[in-house]
Amino acid sequence: MKIKLVAFMVFVTIYSHAQELIKDEKINFYGGFESNSQWYLNDKGLKVTHPDIPLRENSYLFLNLKYKNWITGIQVESYEDQALLNFNPRYDKTDVATYFLQYKMDKIDLTAGYFYEQFGSGLLFRSWEDRALGINNSLRGGRVIFKPTSYFTLKSIYGRQRTGFDISNGEIYGVDTEIVLSDLFAMKTSELSFGLTYVGREEEVLTTPNPEYNSLTNGYAARIDYSHNGFYLSSEYTIKSKDAVVEVQGQIEDNFIKPGNALLMNMGYSKKGFGLDGTFRRLENMGFFSERIAKGNAYNDRIMNFVPSLTKQHHYNLANIYVYQAQPSVFLGDETVLKTGEIGGQLDVFYNIKKQTILGGKYGTKIAVNMSNWNALGGKFYLPKRDYETQFLGFGKKYFSDYNIEITKKWNQKWQTVFTYINQYYNKKLIEETYDLVKTNIIGAEALYKFNDSKSIRVVGEHMWVDSDKKNWAASTVEFNLNSKLSFFSSDMYNYGNEDSQLRNHYYSLGGAYRQKSTRIALSYGRQRGGLVCVGGVCRFVPESSGVSLSLNTTF
């Protein structure tokens, strides 16, 4: 706390002395403020009662000063009286969250304090912030970026991860190098780069006097990226040294020691009117946390690497009920639930039917097809002695699949329609370690009508057929943009097919938003369906609730 207080006082002092320089345009001052609050209400229909503290708020104030090659910044966060439901309980009250001092030139970039970074695709290391998910795993320490030439970059990091308003016990070291070979050899029509990564996590072993694993866990990765005209290819391979397996949060298995590895490949081709993109990934025991016992926590707290689900991020409400989460870790429950990672991929195909054709019409027609399929790793499992042997390209039981097609058609300057069909397979027992196998068929249709450049209305209708679990759903959304500043919306999701008539609930919501330059304020009232909320393939669980929400976001 003393360090945070000193950092805050230093920033205030710098800002106070900078006022004259700001007037002379020698210093650039910028920042922003974000506030998300909710007043939780009792709801007899959902059978939920408001928490002991019904009015809650998450607020973020960030301020930055730039003077020549120097940048300093600070972020203050407030969770009063408590954070929104199901946010990390380590976010509590009001405090200085992050601060940094950076010196940046063309060839050297030095940072002290809190910082964000990513090596390669993030399979070994990524630190980032996502306020909707409650993620901020920045490092407190130091970073050096050295770029002596246009084709060579060296990054070095050291620090401890943020967890709430504190830092983790584990220390993180890292080095990343990248060579742009196409610049080095003056390639004219192609781009080629190569990268190497090392990441170490040092955490003292306290659970046993003579552990069979080291306090230092090492990770290594190599990657290559190539593109030529419309073709591109990238690949990254990662290995993680032997470490104790954590199957259940907080329980370190001192006698269950395994290494980890990952392979990620992406290939595609694009030209005008056509695009093809394919991704393959194999993960084995790749859960990586700054503290071992953090594995399995519900808040993505102290997570070191980035392993999002590689599936289509649907904008339809019903398509996000049975949403897949990546399965990078080990869990040997019984003969029916055996997980050591995942293997699979997804394929995207985009095609634009030409204008002035029978199917394309005056404005053309866009078709997007997406297919994703994910399985457990195949292999041999030895439950009595807690061990396994995986096959590198072995496909075990199926986790999830999603096959969908989306057709977008512009009829004239005012009308545009979208039709979507989605087929999903969701192995709830294997993914959630609970029960049931769910198969869905979803259709969605939407129409957008533009009155003028800033005034429009969008109507969406959805239906999902489900063979088990909560059975069939229907949903609708109406969005009305009055002008470039003011908009309104209304939506409803109805679980009409639930076999329990008392659980056939409507999850309705209505509200509006107002935008003035860089400031946006939104107000809504309604019900929150319990389940996963996902951003970019990373999710957090939210409980069912009912209430009024207010959000404010501004930058300056």
Side-chain angles (χ1 to χ4, degrees):
M1 182 61 194
K2 290 182 179 179
I3 296 175
K4 298 174 182 177
L5 183 59
V6 169
F8 181 68
M9 294 305 295
V10 168
F11 186 89
V12 171
T13 302
I14 294 173
Y15 175 67
S16 299
H17 288 286
Q19 296 306 300
E20 293 302 320
L21 291 174
I22 292 175
K23 293 179 182 179
D24 296 334
E25 297 183 352
K26 294 182 179 180
I27 279 187
N28 183 23
F29 173 67
Y30 57 97
F33 176 74
E34 179 179 335
S35 177
N36 300 296
S37 57
Q38 185 152 353
W39 179 22
Y40 296 97
L41 302 173
N42 293 328
D43 192 320
K44 293 182 180 179
L46 292 182
K47 296 181 176 60
V48 297
T49 57
H50 66 70
D52 294 338
I53 301 176
L55 184 58
R56 302 186 176 200
E57 183 176 14
N58 297 2
S59 296
Y60 313 84
L61 173 66
F62 55 100
L63 305 170
N64 297 280
L65 281 174
K66 184 177 186 299
Y67 176 64
K68 295 184 177 179
N69 300 110
W70 292 91
I71 306 172
T72 184
I74 191 170
Q75 180 163 300
V76 178
E77 297 178 9
S78 177
Y79 304 92
E80 300 284 2
D81 288 332
Q82 288 187 10
L84 300 179
L85 285 180
N86 213 50
F87 268 75
N88 192 337
R90 296 178 182 229
Y91 293 131
D92 187 37
K93 304 305 179 184
T94 302
D95 208 338
V96 174
T98 62
Y99 46 84
F100 72 93
L101 179 64
Q102 182 180 16
Y103 179 75
K104 187 175 183 179
M105 296 186 70
D106 291 338
K107 296 183 178 182
I108 193 76
D109 184 341
L110 307 174
T111 303
Y114 287 87
F115 61 89
Y116 305 97
E117 188 54 78
Q118 176 172 322
F119 292 165
S121 68
L123 277 174
L124 266 184
F125 176 75
R126 184 195 189 198
S127 58
W128 80 103
E129 180 183 32
D130 193 303
R131 294 169 185 169
L133 298 177
I135 296 177
N136 189 320
N137 59 354
S138 57
L139 290 192
R140 192 180 81 183
R143 179 186 62 181
V144 178
I145 302 176
F146 181 52
K147 191 172 183 177
T149 68
S150 63
Y151 55 81
F152 180 77
T153 303
L154 173 66
K155 298 178 181 180
S156 179
I157 62 170
Y158 166 77
R160 295 190 177 189
Q161 255 186 338
R162 178 186 172 189
T163 172
F165 287 114
D166 204 347
I167 54 174
S168 67
N169 294 322
E171 298 177 86
I172 298 173
Y173 315 82
V175 178
D176 183 82
T177 62
E178 184 167 274
I179 301 175
V180 183
L181 298 174
S182 52
D183 285 353
L184 178 62
F185 297 109
M187 298 180 181
K188 300 297 183 181
T189 60
S190 302
E191 292 185 6
L192 177 64
S193 65
F194 178 74
L196 294 172
T197 297
Y198 165 76
V199 174
R201 187 275 316 277
E202 177 81 34
E203 186 190 15
E204 186 179 358
V205 179
L206 300 174
T207 56
T208 181
N210 297 303
E212 298 181 16
Y213 56 97
N214 298 322
S215 60
L216 177 62
T217 305
N218 298 304
Y220 307 90
R223 64 184 183 272
I224 188 168
D225 295 276
Y226 174 74
S227 65
H228 177 73
N229 294 330
F231 173 79
Y232 57 89
L233 168 69
S234 65
S235 181
E236 182 172 349
Y237 183 69
T238 299
I239 58 175
K240 181 164 67 80
S241 64
K242 289 184 177 180
D243 195 22
V245 171
V246 179
E247 292 186 89
V248 180
Q249 184 186 358
Q251 297 182 18
I252 299 175
E253 305 290 341
D254 291 318
N255 298 318
F256 193 4
I257 316 300
K258 282 291 184 179
N261 61 81
L263 173 63
L264 175 66
M265 299 183 68
N266 178 245
M267 181 186 299
Y269 176 77
S270 64
K271 66 176 185 178
K272 185 177 181 180
F274 176 77
L276 178 67
D277 182 90
T279 303
F280 171 83
R281 185 174 70 187
R282 181 189 188 276
L283 300 174
E284 180 180 341
N285 190 25
M286 277 304 295
F288 207 9
F289 296 81
S290 57
E291 294 180 3
R292 292 178 178 89
I293 61 172
K295 185 264 177 186
N297 76 86
Y299 312 106
N300 293 297
D301 187 32
R302 290 160 285 174
I303 189 170
M304 289 174 53
N305 57 345
F306 182 59
V307 283
S309 60
L310 297 180
T311 61
K312 181 163 183 173
Q313 306 302 300
H314 292 288
H315 64 275
Y316 288 102
N317 291 323
L318 299 184
N320 287 293
I321 291 179
Y322 300 104
V323 60
Y324 180 65
Q325 290 190 93
Q327 304 290 309
S329 300
V330 174
F331 182 79
L332 305 184
D334 55 40
E335 292 292 345
T336 63
V337 182
L338 299 170
K339 301 193 293 185
T340 58
E342 69 174 20
I343 185 169
Q346 72 169 330
L347 177 69
D348 283 291
V349 181
F350 306 94
Y351 182 69
N352 293 344
I353 302 176
K354 292 182 179 181
K355 301 176 182 179
Q356 307 301 332
T357 60
I358 295 176
L359 296 178
K362 182 178 180 180
Y363 298 94
T365 301
K366 298 179 180 180
I367 300 176
V369 177
N370 171 270
M371 296 174 283
S372 62
N373 193 99
W374 294 95
N375 288 63
L377 290 177
K380 297 179 180 179
F381 302 90
Y382 312 100
L383 290 181
K385 63 177 184 177
R386 314 298 294 168
D387 199 6
Y388 61 85
E389 296 177 11
T390 61
Q391 301 167 352
F392 189 77
L393 293 178
F395 284 73
K397 291 183 178 180
K398 185 175 178 180
Y399 285 133
F400 177 86
S401 66
D402 186 325
Y403 306 106
N404 56 83
I405 182 171
E406 183 176 280
I407 302 172
T408 303
K409 174 67 176 177
K410 182 178 179 180
W411 299 95
N412 53 47
Q413 293 291 343
K414 295 182 178 295
W415 279 103
Q416 177 177 291
T417 58
V418 181
F419 174 80
T420 301
Y421 169 72
I422 305 167
N423 174 273
Q424 294 175 325
Y425 174 102
Y426 186 86
N427 193 329
K428 193 172 182 180
K429 179 177 178 62
L430 201 56
I431 295 173
E432 301 180 9
E433 297 151 25
T434 54
Y435 64 92
D436 233 336
L437 173 65
V438 181
K439 298 178 182 179
T440 75
N441 287 281
I442 306 169
I443 58 170
E446 57 185 282
L448 173 67
Y449 181 78
K450 293 183 177 181
F451 299 94
N452 53 46
D453 291 340
S454 61
K455 187 176 182 179
S456 64
I457 186 170
R458 175 174 171 263
V459 180
V460 182
E462 309 169 46
H463 189 275
M464 178 167 69
W465 291 269
V466 189
D467 67 345
S468 61
D469 198 33
K470 297 181 180 180
K471 295 299 182 69
N472 295 355
W473 291 71
S476 63
T477 302
V478 178
E479 298 175 352
F480 180 60
N481 295 302
L482 185 61
N483 49 49
S484 60
K485 297 180 179 181
L486 188 60
S487 62
F488 302 94
F489 78 92
S490 174
S491 66
D492 184 29
M493 299 170 60
Y494 181 32
N495 186 200
Y496 76 90
N498 201 308
E499 293 180 346
D500 186 343
S501 60
Q502 295 184 354
L503 297 179
R504 293 172 185 169
N505 294 316
H506 284 271
Y507 295 91
Y508 50 80
S509 182
L510 56 96
Y514 178 77
R515 182 186 297 274
Q516 177 64 37
K517 294 183 179 179
S518 62
T519 299
R520 181 181 183 274
I521 185 170
L523 178 67
S524 64
Y525 165 76
R527 290 171 165 178
Q528 170 68 58
R529 178 188 61 83
L532 294 175
V533 173
C534 304
V535 179
V538 181
C539 308
R540 77 175 180 94
F541 177 81
V542 296
E544 288 199 340
S545 62
S546 183
V548 180
S549 299
L550 176 67
S551 66
L552 171 66
N553 196 317
T554 186
T555 57
F556 48 85

